[in-house]
Amino acid sequence: MKPTSPRAARRLAQKGKKSAPLSIGDLADRVAKAKVKGVDTTLEHRAKRILTSYLQTAQTYGLPVKDVITEMASGQTAWRLGSAVRDEILKTPPDAVRNAACAQGCAFCCILSGGEGGVITRFEAEQLHTAAAPLAGAPDGRDWHPQACPALDPETRSCRAYEARPMICRSFLSTDATACERNAAGGEEQGAGLLGSHLDYLVVHALCRQALKGITQVHTYSMAATAAAAAAGKDAESGLTTARHKPSALEIACRDGANAAATRPGSSAKP
Ligand code: SF4
Ligand code: SF4
């Protein structure tokens, strides 16, 4: 049917636009327009570059757009990209990594003093819950220290969800275990922090959320609450509902990480 006026032509064009299926190119346009509050443009551009190359690769390999959306929303995208940046950093380890005092059984960093344990994605929360659920009812990290992560073994002080531990646990390190012990007791000692790749991971996830606005929701979760829900025997659905953050938590983590990186290049502070 031919439009009878310019207004009708515009309406017809708009209708066609609405019903057109979303493409990976559309997602890339959305990423280009996305903004993350509290993060400087250098960091934002860097995360956009990483996320855009991921979308280009997905397009090259002909991945269905619905699968790409699912990965972006669950946090698998941020996980993959954050891990790739982390691996790249570790190829030429900086001083903080070469001189790290981290060892098995040293677990002051698993004392989650703020009661939060950091921001994790749905992908990580599901994995952590699955790994920690079989431990329900057994003595847990809180038998060693009241604020320790429930996934910690209270005897050996090793992580019992090691393969499923979130990115924040994989990125935190310190050159001074004594500083970690003091920080766990409320101190503010230097020497401990997160690899810079953790900030890329957070900002990429925040960009995914912005880019998927109106398409699907992107939630984040408290690591401590996720592990506690699993230890209490809650199933994944109710456990993750309890552990779900307010949307501002991700923005705050990005902003705090960016501020810490600005004062101590190469690392961001433990949330
Ligand atoms: S971050 Fe600190 S507490 Fe954790 S393993 Fe390393 S030195 Fe030990
Ligand atoms: S998941 Fe494992 S490494 Fe992370 S805080 Fe808990 S016990 Fe520690």
Side-chain angles (χ1 to χ4, degrees):
M1 188 181 73
K2 236 178 155 182
T4 50
S5 66
R7 199 170 161 200
R10 274 201 303 278
R11 235 187 279 130
L12 204 64
Q14 197 61 28
K15 206 172 155 196
K17 216 171 163 187
K18 271 185 192 158
S19 59
L22 193 76
S23 68
I24 293 182
D26 295 331
L27 289 178
D29 290 344
R30 282 168 165 257
V31 167
K33 289 180 196 148
K35 296 252 167 275
V36 180
K37 273 191 209 158
V39 167
D40 70 36
T41 48
T42 313
L43 265 170
E44 192 180 89
H45 285 160
R46 181 183 152 79
K48 280 187 180 183
R49 257 201 327 273
I50 302 170
L51 186 50
T52 304
S53 349
Y54 158 86
L55 290 171
Q56 282 164 350
T57 307
Q59 197 162 37
T60 305
Y61 284 94
L63 286 187
V65 68
K66 68 173 178 29
D67 293 355
V68 175
I69 290 172
T70 302
E71 284 194 354
M72 288 170 71
S74 69
Q76 273 173 287
T77 303
W79 175 271
R80 278 204 203 138
L81 299 176
S83 302
V85 177
R86 184 174 170 273
D87 292 349
E88 206 48 47
I89 292 174
L90 296 180
K91 274 188 197 164
T92 321
D95 286 352
V97 174
R98 279 189 289 107
N99 301 328
C102 303
Q104 199 170 359
C106 178
F108 301 113
C109 54
C110 299
I111 297 173
L112 312 174
S113 316
E116 162 61 30
V119 166
I120 62 174
T121 64
R122 181 164 190 100
F123 169 67
E124 293 171 295
E126 283 172 351
Q127 301 226 70
L128 180 59
H129 185 280
T130 302
L135 311 170
D140 68 44
R142 292 166 294 184
D143 290 289
W144 165 55
H145 187 287
Q147 289 177 304
C149 175
L152 191 73
D153 185 315
E155 294 294 323
T156 63
R157 296 184 202 168
S158 302
C159 177
R160 294 179 298 173
Y162 194 74
E163 295 303 323
R165 72 200 192 286
M167 186 67 82
I168 191 164
C169 307
R170 294 168 193 249
S171 307
F172 195 77
L173 78 169
S174 171
T175 52
D176 183 357
T178 312
C180 294
E181 185 173 9
R182 290 199 186 117
N183 289 346
E188 291 191 4
E189 303 270 339
Q190 298 292 309
L194 287 156
L195 283 174
S197 52
H198 193 69
L199 190 50
D200 290 318
Y201 146 93
L202 287 172
V203 178
V204 162
H205 198 49
L207 286 173
C208 287
R209 175 185 278 169
Q210 292 298 320
L212 295 179
K213 250 188 182 166
I215 299 173
T216 190
Q217 290 191 314
V218 177
H219 295 298
T220 62
Y221 302 81
S222 149
M223 181 178 72
T226 302
K234 286 194 177 182
D235 62 32
E237 199 184 328
S238 67
L240 264 60
T241 302
T242 315
R244 196 157 78 200
H245 275 146
K246 287 183 180 159
S248 56
L250 179 57
E251 280 175 10
I252 293 169
C254 289
R255 188 199 59 205
D256 290 352
N259 288 343
T263 50
R264 272 185 297 145
S267 73
S268 48
K270 190 179 184 184

